[in-house]
Amino acid sequence: MREICQNILPVAPWMEERTLRLPGLNPVAPGEWLLVDEAYGAQMAYRVELIRDRLSAVHRLADAARPAAEELLDRVLAELRAVAGFAVSPDDVLCPDGRRVPIERDQPMITLGHLVQEDFNILEKDGDQHGLTAAILCFPASWNLEQKFGRNLASIHQPVDRYDEDIERRVQRMFDLVPPDRPMWRANYLIYSNPDLFQPRREEERRVISAKPPHWLRSERQCVIKLPKSGAVVFSIHNYVLPLMALTAAQRDSLLAIKGNDFFKVSSKHGV
C-alpha cells in the first residue's frame, strides 16, 4: 500500500451544483487542462515505476490509434509550454521535479505518462459509439485496462449503477459534439480503505470498504477534449487522494450527511 496524498481537495463534487447532476460537465478554463499540484513529484515517481515495472497493465496503443496518440502528444507539449515549471525543447522536456524526459514520438502514450500527473484515454468513433483505442492509465480507480481496452462507452460503463440509458445517450452525444476548442471537465468521488493510486480491478471483483478507519477520499477530475485532426476524443484524469480527516469540516460534514448511517458499511465495486 502506497499513500500519496494532496493537502487539499480543490473541488468537492458532492457540494457544488455544477458537478452534482450527471454528467456534471463544465468548461475548462484556458490553461487549466493539465494541473500540477503538491503531489506532482511523488505521483510522477510512482508513474515512472509503474511504466517501468508494470507496462502491460498501464499502457495500450492500437495501431490504428497511433495518429491520434501522436496528435495528443503534440497537444500536450503545446500546452506545457505555458505551464510553470516545464521547459519544452524539440527533443525533451524539463519537468518541475527536475527530470528531463525525452520526447519519444514512436512511444507517444508512454512519453505522456512520464510528463504529467494526468492519465489519458483515447476514444475513437466506431459505428454509433466511441471505443477505447489507446491509454496510459497508471492510476486506475477500480477498473482494469486489459479488460476495458477495445470496448465502447456503453460496455466500459456497464457495471456502473448510475450509468443508465439516459446517461449513456447524453455522454455519447457529448463525445460527438464537444468542439475541439471547448474542452469540458467533471469530477467524481469514491471512498477507499486503501489509498494506493494503482488499483486495477476487474468488473467481477468487488471494492470492499472496511468499517474501520482509516479511510481516504479519492476524487478524479476528468476532462474531455476533442482532437481536431483525428477527431478522437481524449478522456484525461487527474487524481486527488486525501485522508477523510484532511477534508475541511464543511466537506466532511456534507459528505457524512449524504452517505448517512451506512457510510462505512458499503461493500461495492461501483464508484460514485
Side-chain angles (χ1 to χ4, degrees):
M1 181 176 76
R2 187 173 305 196
E3 184 175 1
I4 300 173
C5 294
Q6 281 88 353
N7 299 325
I8 62 170
L9 182 66
V11 175
W14 63 93
M15 293 181 68
E16 301 194 26
E17 188 64 32
R18 60 178 176 164
T19 53
L20 277 174
R21 185 173 182 269
L22 291 177
L25 291 165
N26 305 273
V28 175
E32 294 187 4
W33 172 31
L34 305 174
L35 303 179
V36 176
D37 61 36
E38 67 272 24
Y40 179 87
Q43 283 197 5
M44 295 311 300
Y46 198 11
R47 295 176 71 83
V48 170
E49 177 184 323
L50 289 166
I51 292 170
R52 182 191 66 218
D53 298 339
R54 303 291 300 273
L55 184 61
S56 63
V58 303
H59 172 255
R60 287 289 189 280
L61 176 59
D63 289 340
R66 184 167 291 277
E70 293 172 354
E71 184 181 2
L72 173 59
L73 176 58
D74 286 336
R75 176 73 178 265
V76 168
L77 291 173
E79 188 89 4
L80 291 182
R81 288 185 174 92
V83 178
F86 289 92
V88 181
S89 69
D91 298 320
D92 59 31
V93 179
L94 180 62
C95 297
D97 57 358
R99 290 175 305 114
R100 194 172 289 277
V101 177
I103 300 173
E104 299 184 34
R105 295 195 173 275
D106 60 335
Q107 296 287 354
M109 303 304 290
I110 293 174
T111 299
L112 289 168
H114 284 97
L115 290 173
V116 293
Q117 290 171 260
E118 280 76 12
D119 280 323
F120 297 99
N121 299 284
I122 293 178
L123 298 104
E124 297 181 90
K125 193 74 175 286
D126 182 15
D128 294 334
Q129 290 203 40
H130 285 74
L132 182 60
T133 59
I136 185 72
L137 185 68
C138 294
F139 299 152
S142 299
W143 66 289
N144 182 287
L145 180 56
E146 179 184 15
Q147 188 178 40
K148 302 290 189 180
F149 187 68
R151 291 164 59 175
N152 63 30
L153 282 170
S155 178
I156 288 171
H157 289 93
Q158 187 174 3
V160 180
D161 288 334
R162 301 174 72 189
Y163 198 86
D164 57 21
E165 291 184 3
D166 178 58
I167 296 296
E168 178 185 324
R169 285 192 298 269
R170 289 160 61 187
V171 170
Q172 182 57 57
R173 179 174 173 80
M174 181 266 295
F175 271 54
D176 287 337
L177 299 180
V178 61
D181 59 348
R182 194 168 183 265
M184 308 294 289
W185 72 272
R186 69 177 299 271
N188 69 1
Y189 63 100
L190 308 98
I191 304 299
Y192 278 83
S193 299
N194 179 344
D196 204 315
L197 285 157
F198 179 66
Q199 294 207 40
R201 193 167 282 112
R202 297 183 65 85
E203 292 174 2
E204 61 272 18
E205 297 174 335
R206 301 183 68 84
R207 176 173 59 91
V208 176
I209 304 173
S210 172
K212 298 180 180 180
H215 296 91
W216 289 263
L217 182 128
R218 178 167 178 166
S219 180
E220 297 178 330
R221 180 183 185 265
Q222 305 166 343
C223 294
V224 177
I225 294 179
K226 181 165 286 186
L227 301 175
K229 293 180 182 178
S230 63
V233 174
V234 176
F235 185 78
S236 66
I237 306 167
H238 187 103
N239 282 278
Y240 296 90
V241 177
L242 288 87
L244 287 188
M245 293 308 297
L247 299 176
T248 67
Q251 288 173 341
R252 285 198 308 274
D253 291 346
S254 60
L255 185 60
L256 288 169
I258 291 170
K259 292 298 185 181
N261 294 331
D262 293 330
F263 180 50
F264 295 120
K265 298 179 183 178
V266 177
S267 177
S268 172
K269 64 183 176 183
H270 307 306
V272 290

